[in-house]
Amino acid sequence: MIQSPHSFDSCFEVFLADTPEAKDIHYRIRYRVYCDELGFEDKQLYPDGIESDEWDSRAVHFLVRHKFSGEWLGALRLVRPGKQGFPFEEHCTPYRSLPKACYSRAVEISRLCVVKEARRFALRKSNVHFDAKSTNISFLHDYRNLNRSIMWGLYRAATVYSTRSGIDDWFILVTPALAYFVSKEGFSMRQIGDACDHRGQRTPYRLNVKHILQNPLWLQDYQQDYRLYSELAETRAVRYGGRDLHQIGVVSYVNRA
């Protein structure tokens, strides 16, 4: 498939945060979004600029960065249940008790976030001059569609990871607006409890991983899955033929599906 210069795969890439450094980036993105931009969390509770909680020790973390600038723009995590269940069960009660199988073969999707400045990095071409002060920049999408595109890229990576890890179902606790956009894209969402008040109205849903992976959205874009952060090699400046070349260590896409 030939990538369009407007596609997610042409402009962005997803990483599994498999090192302490990568997780630190993840937590700092969350701080920026949830503390600085949205005010959902109290900055005074995170003086080091890292927003994390007790669930992170049970989570797998993903990151999105802009290919051409290297800027980290979004994050998401998959959380395994603890002794008290899933995180969403702290805020709302399911209509029915979850079967035991759910606690061994399901995760909760949470901390999905995209920084506001992501709009500046949705360039159509890699050779477009980037000027942070310029207002004459060609964008991948309008801001709302850009947010959704980054969200789909994270969802795709999380789905592939879930499939390889024997995870059958996702739980999500989302706003009505996000639930609408997810269902509108053809993802089957089953409401499993009444809405609750958690940073505004949130409703719990269950999604089947197999059905997510079958969505035709993935036929159009989002084919690169994810890369491991640990595979990133340091950039080295190399002298060759009288000129400087910037050599990036070999990094392979995880594409075993």
Side-chain angles (χ1 to χ4, degrees):
M1 181 179 69
I2 299 177
Q3 289 184 3
S4 162
H6 306 274
S7 69
F8 176 89
D9 285 345
S10 294
C11 295
F12 306 101
E13 53 191 346
V14 180
F15 288 84
L16 174 64
D18 62 336
T19 69
E21 178 186 3
K23 291 178 183 178
D24 185 77
I25 294 171
H26 180 101
Y27 302 147
R28 291 184 183 279
I29 290 175
R30 282 164 42 178
Y31 178 89
R32 182 173 175 180
V33 173
Y34 290 107
C35 297
D36 279 341
E37 297 178 359
L38 298 179
F40 285 162
E41 302 289 351
D42 185 354
K43 286 185 178 183
Q44 296 183 358
L45 299 177
Y46 310 99
D48 54 359
I50 293 175
E51 191 277 303
S52 62
D53 59 30
E54 67 275 14
W55 293 102
D56 284 308
S57 63
R58 307 190 62 82
V60 176
H61 305 79
F62 289 91
L63 298 161
V64 169
R65 80 169 182 175
H66 183 247
K67 285 185 175 181
F68 312 124
S69 69
E71 291 288 334
W72 299 99
L73 304 176
L76 171 147
R77 71 180 180 183
L78 309 182
V79 183
R80 291 279 191 179
K83 292 182 179 180
Q84 303 303 318
F86 289 99
F88 80 89
E89 294 181 272
E90 294 181 343
H91 308 288
C92 59
T93 303
Y95 293 138
R96 299 178 180 177
S97 297
L98 300 178
K100 290 184 179 180
C102 285
Y103 294 100
S104 61
R105 300 185 65 85
V107 294
E108 181 174 340
I109 301 292
S110 67
R111 283 304 194 259
L112 170 66
C113 55
V114 180
V115 301
K116 284 184 177 180
E117 289 192 355
R119 71 185 78 183
R120 297 195 298 122
F121 298 95
L123 304 181
R124 293 180 184 272
K125 298 179 181 179
S126 60
N127 59 355
V128 175
H129 174 68
F130 176 74
D131 181 352
K133 298 181 179 179
S134 174
T135 57
N136 186 25
I137 295 178
S138 184
F139 293 101
L140 174 69
H141 300 290
D142 63 47
Y143 184 42
R144 288 185 178 181
N145 283 338
L146 172 62
N147 276 356
R148 293 172 208 161
S149 183
I150 291 178
M151 179 182 75
W152 300 139
L154 285 164
Y155 272 22
R156 164 70 176 179
T159 304
V160 173
Y161 176 89
S162 296
T163 300
R164 295 170 183 162
S165 302
I167 296 169
D168 295 331
D169 295 288
W170 288 0
F171 294 104
I172 57 174
L173 185 65
V174 294
T175 63
L178 184 53
Y180 170 78
F181 289 124
V182 173
S183 61
K184 184 180 179 183
E185 200 61 53
F187 295 97
S188 177
M189 302 173 60
R190 180 160 63 89
Q191 185 173 339
I192 60 169
D194 291 328
C196 62
D197 185 13
H198 177 56
R199 302 189 186 96
Q201 183 177 327
R202 299 288 191 276
T203 305
Y205 293 90
R206 183 173 178 175
L207 296 86
N208 179 266
V209 170
K210 183 178 180 180
H211 290 165
I212 297 171
L213 199 59
Q214 293 172 346
N215 193 292
L217 176 67
W218 314 132
L219 300 176
Q220 305 170 26
D221 200 353
Y222 315 103
Q223 294 295 302
Q224 298 183 55
D225 295 349
Y226 58 87
R227 296 163 62 180
L228 300 180
Y229 185 92
S230 60
E231 292 177 341
L232 283 174
E234 294 183 1
T235 303
R236 304 187 301 272
V238 181
R239 293 292 298 180
Y240 179 77
R243 58 177 179 168
D244 284 338
L245 299 178
H246 292 284
Q247 181 179 6
I248 310 296
V250 176
V251 181
S252 300
Y253 283 112
V254 179
N255 193 9
R256 295 166 287 175

